[in-house]
Amino acid sequence: MENAEIVRDWRGRSYLVGPVPADRTRMFRLALVAMAAISPLQYGFAALLARDGAGLLLLAACLVFQAAGALPALHLVRRRRLPVRTALAAGAALTAAGLLTLALTFPAPTGPAVAFLGYAVLGYAVLGGLGAGAVYGVCSEVVSAWYPDRPASRVSLVTGAFGYGAVPLLVWAGIAPATTPWAFGAAALAAAVTIGVAARRLRLPPRHWWPATVDPRAHALDAAILRRTPGAVRQFGLAQALRTRALPALAAILACAGAVSVLDVIVVAATGSWGALALLVALNGAGRAAAMRASEALGRRRVLAAVLAILAAGQLLLLAALHTPAPGPGEVTGAAGGPLLWLGAITAGLGGGAFYPLVASLVREFFGVEKVGEIQAVVYSAKAVAGVLAACLALGALTTPGPALLAATALAALPALATLRLRTPGLPATIPL
C-alpha cells in the first residue's frame, strides 16, 4: 500500500498506517447484504419448515455444517491461502444450492420419504450449511480487517443482517403460505446474485493495516477503552487459548444461548402469529448493534450477562403466553396469548442474537488480534452443539412446550450468572475481576 507507515504502540504492537480506500464503505455494505442473503437458510427454515422430527434433524445438521464450514474458510482466508473471491464465490453457489433444495423438496416430498430426506440432507444441510458458514466467516473477517479501530461495532452490524435478513421471506410466506417454495426459490436467486457481487468486490487489506484517519498510539492509550473494553494481556495462539478457562466458557455460552435462540423461532412460528415471528427475527438482528453500543459504555461482560438474562426472561414470557387461556366469545386478542406473546417475542428477540457479537468481542479482548480469526472460529464451532440442543428442545416443545421452555430458561440463566465471573486470561488470580 502506497504512503503507508509502520508505527508501534506502547504494547509493542505494529500498525501499517495507510490511507482509507474509497470503496471501504461499499465493501461494508456488500458484506452486510451477503450476510442477509444467507439468513433464510437458518431462520427461514426454522420458522417455516422445522415442524416435525425430520425438519428438526435437517436444521440441526445444517447448523453443524455451518459451524464446520466457517472454521476452514476463515483459517485459509486469514492466512492468505484462499482468496476472498474464491471463498465467497463457492459460498454463493453452495448457499443458492441449499435454498433451491428447499424450494424443490418442500413442503411435501414427491418421492419416497427416504430419498426425499437424503436430497434435503445433501442439498440443504451439507451444501447450504457449508456455504452459509463460509460466507459468515469470510464477511466477518473482511469487515473486521477494514475497521480495526472499531471491529466489534462494525461486525455486529454485519452479523445483525444474518438475523433480520429472513424477514422478507417470512412476510412473503405469511401473506401467501402456498407460495413458500417460490419464496425459497427467490431467496436462492438473491443469494447467488448478492454474494456473487460481494465476491467480486471484497478483499482483505495488507497485514496490520490501520486507517490513517485514526492515530493507533492514541487509540491504544484511550482511557475509556482501557477501562471498559481492555485489550488482551498478550497475544495468545490457538493452542494457548485452548488451555485457558475462558475459551471453553465462551464456547459453552454460545452453545447454550444459540440453542435457545433457534428454539424461540420454532416456538413462535408454531403459534401461527406471523407478525410476532417477523418481529422476533428482526430484533434478533437489530439487537446486536444496540448491545455492542451499550457494551462500549458499560463493558462487554456486564452487557453479555444482561443480554442472557433478557433471553431467559423471554422464555418465561413465551411460556406464560402459551398457557394463557383461549379468548372467550367476542374477545379479540392475538394468537396464543395475545399481548404476552408479542412481549415474549420482543424480549426473546432482543436477547436471542446480541450475544453473538459480544462473545466474539470478548474473544478478541481476551486473546488478542494476532490469532483472533482461528480462535473465534473454534468458539463459533460451538454452534454445532447449539443446533443439536435446539433440535432436542424443539422436538419436546412441539408437543409439551412447558418443560422445553423451562429448560431453555435454565440454559440462558446459568451462563448469565457465569459471565460475570469471566476473567481475562493472563492476569494473576489475585487481581479482582
Side-chain angles (χ1 to χ4, degrees), residues 238-255:
L238 178 57
Q240 295 170 320
L242 288 171
R243 291 194 292 268
T244 67
R245 295 182 179 180
L247 184 62
L250 291 173
I253 290 170
L254 191 145

Side-chain angles (χ1 to χ4, degrees), residues 1-430:
M1 180 175 286
E2 298 181 2
N3 303 321
E5 176 188 4
I6 297 177
V7 301
R8 294 180 181 273
D9 65 10
W10 64 280
R11 286 181 171 173
R13 292 176 295 196
S14 297
Y15 303 85
L16 181 65
V17 181
V20 177
D23 62 342
R24 183 174 72 156
T25 300
R26 181 190 298 175
M27 286 194 287
F28 168 77
R29 291 172 179 169
L30 286 174
L32 186 145
V33 174
M35 198 75 83
I38 64 175
S39 178
L41 275 170
Q42 176 172 320
Y43 292 103
F45 183 90
L48 301 174
L49 303 176
R51 297 175 179 175
D52 52 27
L56 294 173
L57 173 63
L58 287 171
L59 177 61
C62 181
L63 294 179
V64 169
F65 281 99
Q66 188 183 131
L71 180 57
L74 187 56
H75 178 78
L76 293 173
V77 167
R78 188 173 178 81
R79 288 178 174 266
R80 317 287 169 132
R81 295 177 180 175
L82 178 67
V84 171
R85 175 176 293 188
T86 304
L88 287 181
L94 294 172
T95 300
L99 291 168
L100 190 59
T101 299
L102 297 180
L104 296 175
T105 58
F106 283 91
T110 57
V114 174
F116 154 75
L117 188 59
Y119 292 140
V121 168
L122 177 61
Y124 165 67
V126 178
L127 299 183
L130 290 174
V135 173
Y136 190 102
V138 173
C139 287
S140 299
E141 174 65 15
V142 170
V143 170
S144 65
W146 279 115
Y147 292 88
D149 54 321
R150 40 183 173 156
S153 61
R154 284 290 171 167
V155 172
S156 70
L157 291 172
V158 171
T159 59
F162 179 61
Y164 57 70
V167 171
L169 175 74
L170 300 181
V171 172
W172 180 344
I175 295 174
T179 64
T180 296
W182 289 97
F184 277 105
L189 178 60
V193 172
T194 57
I195 303 173
V197 172
R200 292 179 58 85
R201 301 290 184 181
L202 296 187
R203 65 185 187 277
L204 287 173
R207 292 185 184 277
H208 308 299
W209 178 81
W210 188 271
T213 52
V214 179
D215 184 352
R217 289 166 291 195
H219 184 271
L221 287 171
D222 190 297
I225 294 175
L226 292 173
R227 181 175 66 256
R228 296 165 185 163
T229 56
V233 174
R234 57 186 174 87
Q235 301 297 313
F236 285 75
L238 178 57
Q240 295 170 320
L242 288 171
R243 291 194 292 268
T244 67
R245 295 182 179 180
L247 184 62
L250 291 173
I253 290 170
L254 191 145
C256 293
V260 177
S261 177
V262 175
L263 171 69
D264 290 339
V265 176
I266 298 171
V267 168
V268 175
T271 67
S273 177
W274 294 103
L277 176 62
L279 181 62
L280 168 70
V281 174
L283 290 176
N284 184 290
R288 306 183 190 207
M292 290 308 302
R293 287 185 177 273
S295 70
E296 290 171 358
L298 304 174
R300 310 282 193 220
R301 281 172 281 198
R302 290 180 180 177
V303 175
L304 178 57
V307 163
L308 294 172
I310 291 172
L311 182 60
Q315 310 314 300
L316 296 177
L317 287 170
L318 290 176
L319 178 61
L322 295 179
H323 285 78
T324 299
E331 297 180 11
V332 179
T333 65
L340 271 180
L341 175 66
W342 285 81
L343 184 58
I346 292 172
T347 308
L350 289 173
F355 61 87
Y356 281 113
L358 289 169
V359 169
S361 299
L362 285 173
V363 170
R364 183 180 295 271
E365 291 163 14
F366 281 176
F367 305 111
V369 298
E370 290 295 328
K371 302 293 183 180
V372 65
E374 299 172 12
I375 299 172
Q376 280 184 349
V378 170
V379 174
Y380 184 76
S381 66
K383 193 170 185 178
V385 179
V388 176
L389 280 175
C392 293
L393 289 172
L395 192 60
L398 293 177
T399 54
T400 54
L405 286 171
L406 287 176
T409 303
L411 281 178
L414 293 177
L417 298 175
T419 296
L420 295 173
R421 302 297 301 172
L422 286 174
R423 180 181 293 276
T424 302
L427 288 178
T430 54

